[in-house]
Amino acid sequence: MSQHSFESEELDGYIKIDKYNTEKVDRIASHYTDILESLGEDPKREGLLKTPERVAKALQFLTHGYDIDAAEVLRGAMFEEDYSQMVVVKDIEVYSLCEHHMLPFFGKAHIAYIPNGHIVGLSKIPRVVDIFARRLQVQERLTNEIRDCIQETLGARGVAVVMECKHMCMAMRGVQKQNSVTTTSAFTGAFQNDVTRSEFLRLITADLA
Ligand SMILES: Nc1nc2c(ncn2[C@@H]2O[C@H](COP(=O)(O)OP(=O)(O)OP(=O)(O)O)[C@@H](O)[C@H]2O)c(=O)[nH]1
Ligand SMILES: [Zn+2]
């Protein structure tokens, strides 16, 4: 178990309220009592009494991806199948925290792979996204980590990842641009070919559903 570990072994990709690491909750909460005081707040007023503990639990949830092995999640639902066309899962919601300000960035991920003998349970693709997103991240590394995990675990003929996110550190503070969206992409194998990549880009922009 890593230093980030929760007490529960049965995470199923999500943390339940009774499964927080209580020692870590207490430690983080005590810092937040100090932070509230430093902000000129009164941590003893009614509305703030439980805030340090709430924040500690929220932060553990928002970083619980450190405790889950994404490759193992994929391996849990890999099936031999003679299908060699592109599989695309698009519009996957993403919520992450930027590692510079620990403020949210959020948006969508669009993912495709071309099987090479094995397909994977569809739900596992968004699960992999969450496992890497629920950490302190930059969008570029998040994009690459998702690509590499799917590529290496499935041995796919190619993997494509496109992410479009809004960064609250650019909206609520700093440069204060409310409408800017950052797009990142990462490709392997067959997606390095212009025709295949264009088909993927067409599929994620098409309104098919
Ligand atoms: N490349 C990249 N940069 C990010 C991401 N999230 C936040 N940042 C940027 O990280 C940078 C940190 O820059 P600094 O100059 O050290 O921090 P800062 O003074 O708070 O910068 P400002 O946000 O410009 O006020 C900022 O430009 C952020 O916009 C991300 O996912 N990828
Ligand atoms: Zn930031």
Side-chain angles (χ1 to χ4, degrees), residues 109-180:
H110 313 291
I111 296 179
Y113 74 99
I114 300 176
N116 187 15
H118 287 91
I119 57 167
V120 69
L122 285 177
S123 69
K124 305 307 178 191
I125 304 267
R127 282 189 188 281
V128 166
V129 172
D130 279 348
I131 290 166
F132 290 110
R134 297 309 197 173
R135 305 178 185 199
L136 300 185
Q137 277 288 8
V138 292
Q139 189 177 324
E140 294 91 332
R141 187 170 69 239
L142 175 57
T143 307
N144 283 346
E145 285 178 345
I146 295 166
R147 173 200 61 186
D148 293 344
C149 178
I150 298 172
Q151 175 61 55
E152 285 161 23
T153 313
L154 291 188
R157 287 173 203 222
V159 174
V161 180
V162 168
M163 300 191 70
E164 308 168 283
C165 292
K166 286 191 164 213
H167 290 247
M168 293 315 284
C169 66
M170 288 179 67
M172 291 177 71
R173 58 158 298 287
V175 75
Q176 297 184 68
K177 295 297 171 210
Q178 312 306 324
N179 298 309
S180 73

Side-chain angles (χ1 to χ4, degrees), residues 98 100-101 169:
C98 92
H100 306 111
H101 304 93
C169 66

Side-chain angles (χ1 to χ4, degrees), residues 38-75:
S38 303
L39 292 173
E41 272 288 358
D42 172 11
K44 295 200 180 63
R45 74 176 171 83
E46 191 187 18
L48 294 181
L49 270 181
K50 286 180 69 184
T51 294
E53 183 187 333
R54 292 188 193 103
V55 177
K57 287 178 174 173
L59 281 176
Q60 275 202 48
F61 179 81
L62 296 174
T63 58
H64 75 260
Y66 290 117
D67 296 304
I68 306 170
D69 182 341
E72 197 180 314
V73 169
L74 282 182
R75 279 195 296 270

